Amino acid sequence: MGKINILHIIEGLGLGGAEKRLFFDLTLMDKNRFENHVVYLYELNHYKISIEALGVKVYPLKMRSPYKICNVITSLLKIIRDNKIDIVHTQLFWANVSGRIAAKIARVSAVLTTYQYPDYDRDNSFLYSYKRKFIDHLTGLCCNS
C-alpha cells in the first residue's frame, strides 16, 4: 500500500498561530505513511523554508486578491491531480473556500477543515462575520458531501 497524499491549503505561511500549528503538525506526521504537500495562497512565507526542510513540497500561489479565486481553484485542481491527492486539509477562510471547491471538482475522498476563530471576527463587523459564516456554511454543505 502506498503513502496517503495530503494537500494542506492555508492562506499564508506567515508568523500566525495557524501557520505555526501547520508546521508543527507536519513535523509530527509519519513520513512512511503520509506524503504531505502545502499550498499557500498569499505571499506570507516565514515557514516556507522550514517546511521544505521537512521534505514537504510547497506551492506558493501568490494570490493578490480574493476576487481571483477562480485562478486559485484552477491551480489547486492541477496540484491535486498531479499529486494524486487523497485528503485535502484546509485552514483559514479563503483556503477553506477554494480548497473545498477544488476538492469537490477533483472528487477527493476526504476534506478536513481546521477552523480558526479570527476568520469570522475581523474588525468586529457583524456583516463581515455573517457573510463569511454564510459562505463557509454553503461550501461546507455543498463540497463535503
Side-chain angles (χ1 to χ4, degrees):
M1 183 170 162
K3 292 182 183 181
I4 297 170
N5 288 305
I6 303 175
L7 178 62
H8 303 271
I9 306 169
I10 192 163
E11 287 189 358
L13 292 177
L15 289 171
E19 297 84 348
K20 185 176 183 177
R21 178 193 170 137
L22 174 60
F23 171 71
F24 285 115
D25 286 349
L26 291 168
T27 65
L28 297 172
M29 294 186 78
D30 185 346
K31 293 177 184 172
N32 296 317
R33 292 186 61 210
F34 303 104
E35 185 74 34
N36 291 291
H37 309 265
V38 172
V39 168
Y40 64 103
L41 307 184
Y42 297 107
E43 292 195 49
L44 304 168
N45 63 5
H46 174 80
Y47 282 101
K48 182 179 186 284
I49 293 171
S50 299
I51 290 172
E52 288 175 330
L54 298 172
V56 175
K57 178 72 175 155
V58 178
Y59 305 87
L61 295 189
K62 300 178 183 177
M63 185 169 101
R64 299 202 191 295
S65 165
Y67 301 108
K68 303 282 185 179
I69 196 158
C70 290
N71 297 344
V72 169
I73 292 168
T74 300
S75 297
L76 290 173
L77 283 169
K78 180 170 176 23
I79 294 166
I80 289 169
R81 290 178 176 142
D82 288 352
N83 294 288
K84 298 180 175 106
I85 297 299
D86 301 300
I87 299 170
V88 169
H89 171 231
T90 66
Q91 290 192 76
L92 300 174
F93 183 75
W94 288 110
N96 295 345
V97 171
S98 59
R100 288 173 181 160
I101 293 169
K104 179 69 172 185
I105 294 168
R107 298 185 176 149
V108 174
S109 59
V111 179
L112 306 171
T113 298
T114 300
Y115 284 99
Q116 310 294 334
Y117 179 74
D119 284 345
Y120 309 103
D121 201 38
R122 188 169 153 191
D123 301 329
N124 295 321
S125 165
F126 173 76
L127 185 57
Y128 180 91
S129 176
Y130 180 79
K131 287 188 295 188
R132 283 188 165 222
K133 286 178 184 177
F134 176 77
I135 292 168
D136 180 68
H137 183 73
L138 185 63
T139 58
L141 286 175
C142 295
C143 300
N144 288 333
S145 53

